[in-house]
Amino acid sequence: MQNARRDIHSYSNPEQIRVRHLDLDCDVLFDRKILKGTAALSVQRRVDSGAPPLILDTRNLHIEKVEVSEENGAYAETKFTLGASDPILGAPLSITIPPAATKVRIQYSTSPEASALQWLDPPQTAGKKQPFLFTQSQAIHARSWIPLQDTPGVRLTYSAHVRTPKDLLAVMSAGNDPDAPRTGEYKFRQHWPIPSYLIALAVGDLQFRPMGNRTGVYAEPSVVERAAKEFDDTEKMLRAAQELYGPYRWGRSDLLVLPPSFPYGGMENPSLTFATPTILAGDKSLVSLVAHELAHSWSGNLVTNATWSDFWLNEGFTVYVERRILEKVYGRPREEMEAVLGRQDLEREMAKLPERDQILHIDLKGRDPDDGVTLVPYEKGALLLRSLEQTFGREKFDAFLREYFNHFQFQSITTGIFVDYLKKHLLNGNTQIPLDEWLYKPGLPASAPQPVSDVLAKVAEQAKAWTGSKIETNNWSTQEWLHFLKALPPQLSPEKMRELDRAFSFTRTGNAEILEEWLLMAIRNRYEPAYPRLEEFLVSVGRRKYIKPLYEELVKSPEGKARATAIYKKARPGYHPIAVTTVDGILAPKS
Ligand SMILES: [Zn+2]
């Protein structure tokens, strides 16, 4: 069963003609910051009423020529029109195709402003010698580098032939060959039908380090050893996930560490997770992100949200699964800490969100789906699953989830389809769970689980008692430090801030999560000694999770806003287009 409802973020008409396979052939032209080549689409007509055109999504693509062919036939040129461009959706590409046509080949090039692509000059990389390119297709950015039906309701397989400068390596979300020689010509094949937002490409001075038989890391040479050490529990996590939810379907499971401008923590591109270098803390304390992206191999990549209003089906499930993996690998106390911090962060963010954005099944009419990326689909979604687990017991709920993943594997589903399945296979008439409230109302139901962590409770005690005196923090994990900082009073005097910094060197910490929390406190309390580090962090890191709250905190005062504007002037050229859109919105909101 595919999505029955039309996706409001796509112009495409899959209910009439559906794209089944993409064959991409392109040159990566660093000097012009464009991709140039062809996309050949295999299409299947769904109805025989007339001959509707094939409508594809595009954004800032330069379409040169479109050809069609019948099965095993030769290509012949056909007519196409590119519609007016919408700031959020891009422009529809309407292609005339004869009833018997099964293939459509589009000759095109991208624009240097393509919203999915970030072209890094050598100084923006770790090695400083070679340029770097990476894509971020989620949510609706695939259309800025490939003309296709850019909706998660349509799944397709793909093959690709990518040409790059000779000394660079290209990798894609398609099971890479770790032994591929560096020739400047690379071929890929994704055998499983995936939604367009999981098509991904990166090109750079990349090296590979194996971690297990099917796991390894790609990164720039100066980063790859460190990354392989940090992530060496990946195989263990993968085994834990398989024990819980059934076989891993994607062959290899590698990680790609990107330069710091990557706008997200991680992106679950199949067989090749893209990850931010900000999780390289040196002590594996931030590897929950690896567990999260692995969890997507079931929730998201295998069973996919059919529209962006159903995004919580991807992320809520994934946060729940992520914590089950962490519990299996690192023990229950670790899971409890993550869950407590998760709920805390959710409440903190929800307090600032308008009601419409606190709803799991979010209404995104007229909006960019990237606007819906808050903690709500993640943490509120995970709390709903936690509440199902608590109500029905782990054994029953685990069996339900396993069956859910099997039942809907390689399908894209809506919230409605999930609800029907849940009622039939788990709830069985049970009305203890206020499902409508969870899915369609703002805030949290009164019965929402309140995770507890003994470890963090002790930390909170210490934060309360902290007077500048020594406390025992020797073996504190990142999670304990975060909880400590969050438990301190929101307003602190300059002396208290200085004392904290002297005692624990927060301004100089190499741990991005702790630094983020500290910098927020520094802005709030005008702690000037941290300002140079704040600027350095905002200029060098482009991860939305960090930069968004910092800019938001800065603009609360006129003095902070002036500082934010000055910093952003330096930082903006180094940010990915997705991060630029976010920060532009904070510093110069559209009226
Ligand atoms: Zn995720």
Side-chain angles (χ1 to χ4, degrees), residues 268 292-293 296 315 318 378:
E268 63 272 21
H292 180 94
E293 306 310 333
H296 272 306
E315 297 303 344
T318 295
Y378 292 78

Side-chain angles (χ1 to χ4, degrees), residues 319 322-323 326 332-346 379 382-383 386 449-453 456 479:
V319 171
E322 161 200 337
R323 297 207 174 121
L326 289 175
R332 180 73 181 172
R334 171 72 180 269
E335 190 281 341
E336 287 168 344
M337 286 196 281
E338 302 266 1
V340 166
L341 291 170
R343 170 145 186 176
Q344 234 172 43
D345 290 346
L346 173 66
E379 295 291 347
L383 280 173
R386 200 180 183 91
Q450 188 67 258
V452 189
S453 155
L456 292 188
Q479 289 71 29

Side-chain angles (χ1 to χ4, degrees), residues 3 7 22 61 106 137 142 183 205 231 359 385 547 576:
N3 67 318
D7 177 357
L22 155 74
L61 294 184
I106 301 137
S137 295
T183 57
D205 182 15
F231 301 143
I359 293 170
L385 296 210
I547 64 176
H576 186 280

Side-chain angles (χ1 to χ4, degrees), residues 259-303:
S261 65
F262 183 52
Y264 290 106
M267 180 61 214
E268 63 272 21
N269 298 314
S271 304
L272 184 67
T273 283
F274 283 22
T276 167
T278 60
I279 54 169
L280 299 173
D283 60 1
K284 298 187 185 177
S285 60
L286 303 181
V287 294
S288 61
L289 187 126
V290 177
H292 180 94
E293 306 310 333
L294 277 180
H296 272 306
S297 304
W298 286 264
S299 43
N301 298 7
L302 192 60
V303 182

